[in-house]
Amino acid sequence: QVQVVESGGGLVQAGASLRLSCAVSGPLFSSYIMAWFRQAPEKEREFVAAISQRGLSPDYADSVKGRFTISRDNARNTVYLQMNSLRPDDTAVYYCAPYSGTGSGMSTREVEGYAYWGQGTQVTVSS
């Protein structure tokens, strides 16, 4: 069973920065594509960013491109999300997950490609 624990959220003002962390249990972390998603109140969970097993070719949603950076440390079983120039519409619960849809044809941007989720970490950006 894979366990995922997100941390680093908080309440900040618009324009501020936050760094989220996500720790994943087990010896297979370096074999996973990892992704961050977010879910605002009364909205569907949406893709934010993904990173390959070796930390190459990051992929970003258009809404965060140029402001957010995803990275990973395979020695620490941890993936990060550096969020700069935060805006009120970034307010959401942020989740990370290992991609489990290999061979399914599902995009790494699809929620259905992920089976293990943490409890999330709340990010609130005030105007």
Side-chain angles (χ1 to χ4, degrees), residues 2-121:
V2 176
Q3 292 188 319
V4 178
V5 180
E6 302 95 339
S7 62
L11 170 62
V12 297
Q13 290 190 326
S17 298
L18 277 176
R19 188 195 197 202
L20 306 184
S21 298
C22 169
V24 180
S25 66
L28 299 179
F29 176 79
S30 62
S31 69
Y32 299 133
I33 293 169
M34 293 295 302
W36 286 95
F37 287 75
R38 66 186 182 186
Q39 188 165 17
E42 301 182 3
K43 290 192 175 180
E44 305 245 329
R45 193 168 297 190
E46 65 174 4
F47 171 79
V48 174
I51 191 167
S52 67
Q53 294 89 333
R54 294 173 63 188
L56 305 175
S57 305
D59 181 30
Y60 298 98
D62 287 345
S63 59
V64 306
K65 200 172 292 184
R67 300 187 298 123
F68 291 11
T69 302
I70 188 171
S71 62
R72 65 190 296 161
D73 184 341
N74 286 344
R76 297 178 183 270
N77 277 28
T78 301
V79 62
Y80 304 98
L81 187 67
Q82 177 67 43
M83 306 187 296
N84 298 331
S85 302
L86 282 161
R87 308 185 307 216
D89 61 357
D90 293 318
T91 295
V93 178
Y94 283 71
Y95 301 90
C96 80
Y99 179 68
S100 53
T102 301
S104 69
M106 273 189 288
S107 164
T108 53
R109 290 182 169 221
E110 295 182 65
V111 171
E112 292 75 15
Y114 297 82
Y116 299 102
W117 299 91
Q119 81 291 345
T121 186

